[in-house]
Amino acid sequence: MVHLSWLLTQMEAQSSSGLVLSRKRRRESSTRDSEEGERLGKYPKCTVGLKNPAPFADELLPVDPKAYERVSMEEAKRGTRANRPVRVYADGIFDVFHSGHARALMQAKRLFPNTHLIVGVCSDDLTHKYKGFTVMNEDERYDAIRHCRYVDEVVRNAPWTLSPEFLIKHRIDFVAHDDIPYSSAGSDDVYKHIKDAGMFAPTQRTEGISTSDIITRIVRDYDVYVRRNLQRGYTAKELNVSFINEKKYHLQERVDKVKRKVRDVEEKSIDLIQKWEEKSREFIGNFLQMFGPEGALKHMLKEGKGRMLQAISPRQSPNSSPTREERSPSPTFRLPFFTKTSPPPSPRPHHSGARGYLISEDDEDEDVDEDEDEEN
């Protein structure tokens, strides 16, 4: 009862969240018609995981089979009362339990608003007889199924073909499985009598994932996985590998390590070469910018050379010098040791006793000419 009440609480929470999401989508579609695609609503934060695994059917208290009355498909789709969930049965091998199994059980759980999902798992004897050898033994497969969140009850040693007695014993309303005919045990479809009785509820297979596909991957890459497990510490005896093959795998692993090291060195060298090329291009560009034909250094040298020539070369005299008559009279100046009150100088500059005299630049030029004539 505690488990059933918890399920009802979770169903109410999911239905209320679904209503909120549907209203939200309607509002978004009305306001954002121009957007392409449909945005999925986000779920509110909640804890929906189970704390305990699903119980085994043979561990539950027995129920009077006379109280069992099967519901119809219409009643199941409308929804049954809280204390009468629709009991849906799904069976299988569930070897190497994967997402395809989980999705099939999820679809079976969602067939009706109020569903109690019972999952039957076949034993090793039946499986090896009708289908083949399994990777996981029956106990491992039982335990994997009871820890799936969609499962409410697990039937161990489930039958290969469902009999009316089995359906009545477990009070099964519907059987969920994919609609592809399942030929086995001398029958073209082991679910044919279930379909004829109107108790079959089809589900969809998940493409691209199956136990056979996973086993095929392992067989195809057998050497890779053997070497992987040898690296992880498994012995050759545990892996059923001969002594010669063990040495071969170890040698291959060493060769691969050397290859990986060489590849790493090559990648690093390629990175160094690329970086060196980038730096070299940058260095060459800077060098040409400084020392090239039109580089900054040439302009600096030209400018410095011009300044040096300008500093060391004398100024050129004018082409024609003015004659003496064309010269403007030179201004007269008074020696500092004569006063303004001194008498005018005598006409001869060599007379003694004169207290002051005027000297002009014209007189100096005449004296210089006379001295040059005397020397000649």
Side-chain angles (χ1 to χ4, degrees):
M1 293 299 293
V2 176
H3 188 64
L4 181 59
S5 61
W6 183 89
L7 287 174
L8 293 175
T9 305
Q10 295 300 323
M11 288 172 59
E12 291 175 359
Q14 290 179 1
S15 61
S16 61
S17 62
L19 291 174
V20 172
L21 290 173
S22 62
R23 295 193 193 99
K24 183 178 180 180
R25 291 192 188 99
R26 284 198 296 269
R27 288 197 302 267
E28 288 180 353
S29 61
S30 61
T31 55
R32 301 180 181 181
D33 294 336
S34 60
E35 294 185 358
E36 296 181 359
E38 180 182 0
R39 292 187 178 182
L40 298 178
K42 294 184 178 180
Y43 295 97
K45 290 184 179 180
C46 59
T47 303
V48 296
L50 301 177
K51 294 182 179 180
N52 300 313
F56 292 116
D58 52 5
E59 295 178 350
L60 297 174
L61 294 174
V63 180
D64 185 8
K66 294 181 181 180
Y68 166 66
E69 290 183 4
R70 182 177 166 272
V71 298
S72 63
M73 182 67 73
E74 292 74 13
E75 292 174 344
K77 289 183 177 180
R78 282 199 307 266
T80 57
R81 59 184 184 272
N83 59 352
R84 178 56 174 95
V86 180
R87 296 175 66 85
V88 177
Y89 178 81
D91 59 355
I93 309 302
F94 303 106
D95 189 23
V96 190
F97 188 80
H98 51 75
S99 62
H101 296 141
R103 287 178 177 274
L105 298 178
M106 179 186 68
Q107 294 178 56
K109 180 69 175 179
R110 293 181 175 181
L111 285 172
F112 309 108
N114 185 13
T115 302
H116 181 82
L117 181 58
I118 308 166
V119 179
V121 183
C122 299
S123 63
D124 287 344
D125 293 338
L126 280 176
T127 305
H128 298 167
K129 180 180 178 181
Y130 292 111
K131 192 167 185 178
F133 194 76
T134 58
V135 177
M136 302 167 64
N137 59 42
E138 58 185 26
D139 293 328
E140 293 170 339
R141 293 184 285 114
Y142 296 155
D143 196 57
I145 289 298
R146 70 188 302 223
H147 285 86
C148 178
R149 63 183 297 179
Y150 308 111
V151 179
D152 300 306
E153 187 178 335
V154 178
V155 177
R156 292 182 284 193
N157 193 15
W160 199 260
T161 303
L162 302 179
S163 62
E165 293 77 16
F166 180 83
L167 298 174
I168 294 173
K169 177 183 177 181
H170 293 281
R171 299 175 296 148
I172 296 171
D173 295 315
F174 297 97
V175 176
H177 201 273
D178 61 82
D179 202 12
I180 301 173
Y182 193 84
S183 59
S184 179
S187 174
D188 293 336
D189 188 1
V190 296
Y191 297 103
K192 185 177 184 305
H193 64 289
I194 302 295
K195 295 176 181 177
D196 294 339
M199 298 177 62
F200 189 80
T203 58
Q204 299 295 325
R205 293 178 62 90
T206 302
E207 297 296 332
I209 182 68
S210 68
T211 301
S212 299
D213 291 339
I214 295 174
I215 295 175
T216 301
R217 297 178 201 171
I218 298 173
V219 173
R220 181 186 58 201
D221 301 326
Y222 170 78
D223 291 347
V224 175
Y225 292 110
V226 170
R227 290 166 55 185
R228 170 186 178 274
N229 282 7
L230 286 174
Q231 278 185 314
R232 292 178 175 270
Y234 288 88
T235 63
K237 185 178 180 180
E238 291 174 328
L239 297 173
N240 196 23
V241 175
S242 64
F243 176 79
I244 296 177
N245 286 334
E246 180 188 7
K247 298 305 178 184
K248 181 188 72 173
Y249 292 137
H250 283 304
L251 180 61
Q252 288 177 351
E253 185 62 30
R254 292 175 184 174
V255 172
D256 289 346
K257 282 184 179 180
V258 174
K259 289 181 179 179
R260 285 194 293 268
K261 288 182 180 180
V262 172
R263 193 181 302 112
D264 293 339
V265 172
E266 289 178 353
E267 291 177 355
K268 291 180 181 179
S269 61
I270 290 173
D271 293 338
L272 290 175
I273 291 172
Q274 290 177 351
K275 291 180 180 179
W276 183 84
E277 288 179 351
E278 293 176 359
K279 293 295 182 182
S280 63
R281 284 195 293 267
E282 182 180 356
F283 175 78
I284 292 171
N286 295 334
F287 182 85
L288 292 176
Q289 187 177 2
M290 176 61 71
F291 301 102
E294 300 297 331
L297 183 62
K298 183 177 181 180
H299 293 291
M300 292 171 60
L301 292 176
K302 283 183 178 180
E303 186 177 352
K305 182 179 179 181
R307 290 179 180 178
M308 291 175 63
L309 292 174
Q310 186 177 1
I312 63 176
S313 60
R315 296 181 180 179
Q316 297 180 356
S317 59
N319 296 330
S320 59
S321 300
T323 59
R324 183 175 300 177
E325 290 79 6
E326 294 175 352
R327 293 179 183 175
S328 60
S330 301
T332 60
F333 61 92
R334 191 180 301 275
L335 294 177
F337 49 83
F338 294 106
T339 61
K340 293 181 179 180
T341 56
S342 299
S346 60
R348 303 295 297 175
H350 56 274
H351 285 173
S352 60
R355 300 192 58 184
Y357 56 89
L358 295 175
I359 301 174
S360 64
E361 292 181 359
D362 297 336
D363 297 334
E364 292 179 359
D365 294 337
E366 293 178 358
D367 295 339
V368 170
D369 295 336
E370 291 177 359
D371 293 337
E372 291 178 355
D373 295 337
E374 290 177 358
E375 291 176 1
N376 293 331

